[in-house]
Amino acid sequence: MSNAPDVLTFGETMVALRGNGPLKLGGSMDVSVAGAESNVAIGLSRLGHAVRWSGAVGDDEAGELVLRTLRAEGVDVGAATRDPSAPTGLLLFEPRLPDVTRVHYYRAGSAGSRLTPDAVDAAFAAGAPRVLHLTGITPALGPSAAEACRRALRLARDHGTQVCLDVNFRSRLWSSDEASAELCGWLPHVDVLIASDDELPLCLPSARTASPEPEKTLLAGGIRELVVKLGSRGATVHTADNTLHSPARQVHAVDAVGAGDAFVAGYLSALLDGADVATRLDRAITTGAFAVASRGDWEGAPTRAELRLLSADPGTVVR
């Protein structure tokens, strides 16, 4: 029996502490884990797909929490590594206003930032995936993590693996110029590019020269599907043949954290199912809505059976 997963992803997953008010006032905190790539992995696993996560954690209790959580969600962590000389990263969420949450990172020198290309080799050796999912966060963590991403792109090419890149730009980790220089070099390997509309310039050649039609420029450069996230305005998919837009589903917004990752999980799930672009976009919009309507990075991710719940009439009791 093949051990090849549907999707391979890797990056830094941290322990997440969520307070109920200003940190300086103390109080209780909820403990969980968070990381863009592992959020996508959990979302895909709940939708019934085989997913492998190949990140690095410290040889500590925080790292055990990360691995235990992912295993409990059905994600394969057999290719993950424990670094005995670096800690697992930490993430603090501080709600300050009803719609404003401050995020504090403690990830400098963390195990996740020291992920090596060898870990990627081991993940592919255990079975080449159908899809490799990367984000623009991982290469910003440090030279070793960036080289691990480049190794993964080469291995994906060698194995005929589709590549999905979610730009996921983080200004605290690197500058827009640094991000553009790195990610533009990836684009010849990328099949599905996912970005918010303000991230598109990072993917354009010629030092991010403004383009009146960035979508056409990227498609002409070899991107098969360009998926543009528009937040509360929904999302648009551009292909060589068509442009398709879908509005966001109307839900009671509770927490927008993790919505982009849930959207990616939905899109890749439908792609793996062989669904058409319209169905991919609809599932992505749906899974993103579940995330917005739930607290936490990944906790609200739906199962396949739950996808239909957003189509139910308000106040419906599902028995």
Side-chain angles (χ1 to χ4, degrees), residues 38-51 70-76 265 269 302-304:
S38 55
N39 293 344
V40 172
I42 291 172
L44 283 164
S45 180
R46 287 193 178 180
L47 291 170
H49 302 284
V51 190
L70 291 176
R71 281 195 298 266
E73 289 294 331
V75 177
D76 176 5
S269 170
T303 64
R304 189 171 291 255

Side-chain angles (χ1 to χ4, degrees), residues 90-114:
L90 177 65
L91 178 62
L92 301 181
F93 291 95
E94 178 190 20
R96 289 298 289 118
L97 295 170
D99 296 320
V100 177
T101 297
R102 293 195 294 212
V103 181
H104 307 274
Y105 294 97
Y106 299 87
R107 68 199 311 177
S110 67
S113 69
R114 292 156 44 130

Side-chain angles (χ1 to χ4, degrees), residues 276-293:
D276 59 21
V277 172
T279 303
R280 298 178 201 176
L281 184 56
D282 180 72
R283 189 175 300 178
I285 290 288
T286 300
T287 51
F290 268 93
V292 170

